[in-house]
Amino acid sequence: MAGSLILIDSDTASTSASISLTGISSTYDVYLCVLSGITPTADANFNMRVTTSGTADSDSQYDKASEVFKVDSSFGTTSDENEAQWRINSTVGTDTNEEANHTIYLFNFSNASEYSMYTNESVKLNSSGGVEGYQGGGAHTVAEANDGVNFFFTSGTIESGEFKLYGLRK
């Protein structure tokens, strides 16, 4: 993949209410978000929304499904339909060393006649110090062009973390 990733946007969280990465256009067919060291100020779910003209879209058109793999208990399946956001990670806590890391591929975002879709792979430490992995994806079930994504926790703020958006060279 060397040479095929083109940095489009990046941001570093510092007690931020949310982080938006924008700049998605028809230049690339697929985009990649790399999130590292994401920590909250309060125990909360980590969420993502599409942006339209740079503004997060909070309609109830977000569907997703994922598998959860846990080192300290059995795996499970999560799914949501017609929500106001995609929950891309369950509770991330504030205990020492708790953080989340994500690799998210974005598809169809600039195509006004298709649903914007994503796949997500993530790993985090949970409140008991156990490792959890997630793999899944979802769709924003509105045929519209979107120019980015917005990340936020259900409560509190994003205390720290690195957020990067890349275009994948055709």
Side-chain angles (χ1 to χ4, degrees):
M1 229 191 258
S4 62
L5 294 178
I6 310 302
L7 183 64
I8 305 298
D9 195 9
S10 65
D11 204 348
T12 301
S14 178
T15 315
S16 307
S18 69
I19 297 286
S20 290
L21 298 174
T22 60
I24 292 175
S25 67
S26 60
T27 303
Y28 304 101
D29 293 332
V30 179
Y31 287 81
L32 169 65
C33 292
V34 178
L35 315 181
S36 58
I38 310 305
T39 59
T41 58
D43 292 1
N45 293 334
F46 191 50
N47 303 299
M48 180 173 77
R49 291 179 172 144
V50 300
T51 63
T52 307
S53 300
T55 301
D57 191 339
S58 60
D59 61 14
S60 295
Q61 300 295 319
Y62 293 90
D63 298 350
K64 71 99 180 168
S66 61
E67 287 289 326
V68 182
F69 308 94
K70 301 177 182 182
V71 73
D72 56 0
S73 64
S74 62
F75 73 91
T77 301
T78 66
S79 63
D80 295 307
E81 187 175 21
N82 298 324
E83 294 293 325
Q85 69 277 323
W86 290 307
R87 179 173 41 103
I88 60 171
N89 217 315
S90 63
T91 303
V92 180
T94 57
D95 292 343
T96 303
N97 297 324
E98 282 189 69
E99 68 177 29
N101 300 281
H102 294 261
T103 303
I104 303 167
Y105 287 92
L106 307 174
F107 306 92
N108 303 328
F109 267 62
S110 66
N111 189 334
S113 60
E114 296 283 340
Y115 293 165
S116 292
M117 303 174 92
Y118 79 95
T119 61
N120 176 38
E121 291 181 349
S122 69
V123 63
K124 74 168 189 173
L125 288 178
N126 63 26
S127 60
S128 61
V131 174
E132 291 183 15
Y134 289 75
Q135 183 154 8
H140 183 237
T141 58
V142 177
E144 68 180 9
N146 300 118
D147 63 352
V149 286
N150 173 262
F151 299 96
F152 63 99
F153 281 101
T154 50
S155 63
T157 60
I158 306 169
E159 182 173 47
S160 62
E162 295 290 325
F163 296 76
K164 295 184 179 189
L165 173 67
Y166 297 93
L168 274 68
R169 190 183 311 270
K170 295 180 182 182

